[in-house]
Amino acid sequence: MRLKRFLLASVFIGYLVQGIYAIGFTGNKLLSVLGMNTNSAQFKKFADSWQLDKQNENYSQGIKLFVNETTGKVESIVIVGENTTGTSSKFSKFKAPLPFGITLNDNFAALKTKLGESVRAAGKNSMKFAHDSTTVEATFTSFPDGKISYL
């Protein structure tokens, strides 16, 4: 009976931890999904790990993927800050480690130190950085001293 309770508790704790951070797909490994085909076993592992829905997003974890409808490959990852509005729901703040040592508390100067030079992106509070063959676009709550609203 004790073993059964221990196993159930272990499964529950494992599920809880997985819900907090998608084990194996945080930090720079979060980028591994870029270019993956959504029919691949590796993508399914990523999607299960992040508990993505059919639209490849998870509001409670603050993550959304954009997939090319023609190729079925992941083209971009959106990481959101606190209460960033999506289509009709609000995303919670992404809490797992981000690539390149980025945190959602970074302002423009901190991001420039971590990623290098940038160019102005579409919005007045957005900047694009090219780093390690990856384009990182950051939108800030205000510019230049605001925190990251989403990546």
Side-chain angles (χ1 to χ4, degrees):
M1 187 67 168
R2 284 186 179 182
L3 181 61
K4 186 176 182 180
R5 276 192 223 147
F6 174 76
L7 289 175
L8 286 174
S10 295
V11 168
F12 176 73
I13 290 169
Y15 178 76
L16 196 60
V17 169
Q18 182 179 9
I20 296 170
Y21 298 131
I23 307 228
F25 294 106
T26 62
N28 287 359
K29 291 182 180 179
L30 182 64
L31 301 175
S32 67
V33 73
L34 293 172
M36 273 188 203
N37 188 294
T38 55
N39 293 320
S40 71
Q42 187 67 7
F43 176 81
K44 290 182 188 331
K45 186 176 176 183
F46 182 95
D48 288 345
S49 178
W50 280 105
Q51 301 170 349
L52 301 179
D53 63 17
K54 290 181 182 181
Q55 287 75 42
N56 295 311
E57 58 194 18
N58 183 326
Y59 283 101
S60 66
Q61 301 231 14
I63 185 170
K64 178 177 179 63
L65 305 181
F66 285 94
V67 176
N68 182 307
E69 292 180 18
T70 305
T71 64
K73 292 184 178 182
V74 177
E75 291 189 338
S76 62
I77 306 166
V78 175
I79 302 298
V80 296
E82 197 82 48
N83 296 326
T84 301
T85 303
T87 51
S88 63
S89 301
K90 288 187 175 184
F91 282 97
S92 294
K93 185 176 183 179
F94 186 86
K95 295 179 181 166
L98 291 166
F100 312 127
I102 298 169
T103 73
L104 292 175
N105 291 323
D106 288 341
N107 62 14
F108 172 69
L111 221 50
K112 185 176 178 182
T113 298
K114 293 175 183 181
L115 302 178
E117 292 301 316
S118 63
V119 295
R120 180 77 65 184
K124 65 179 183 174
N125 293 336
S126 297
M127 299 298 286
K128 279 187 182 181
F129 300 84
H131 186 75
D132 284 352
S133 303
T134 303
T135 300
V136 177
E137 184 173 334
T139 299
F140 300 90
T141 54
S142 63
F143 192 81
D145 297 322
K147 296 177 183 180
I148 296 172
S149 182
Y150 58 91
L151 290 172

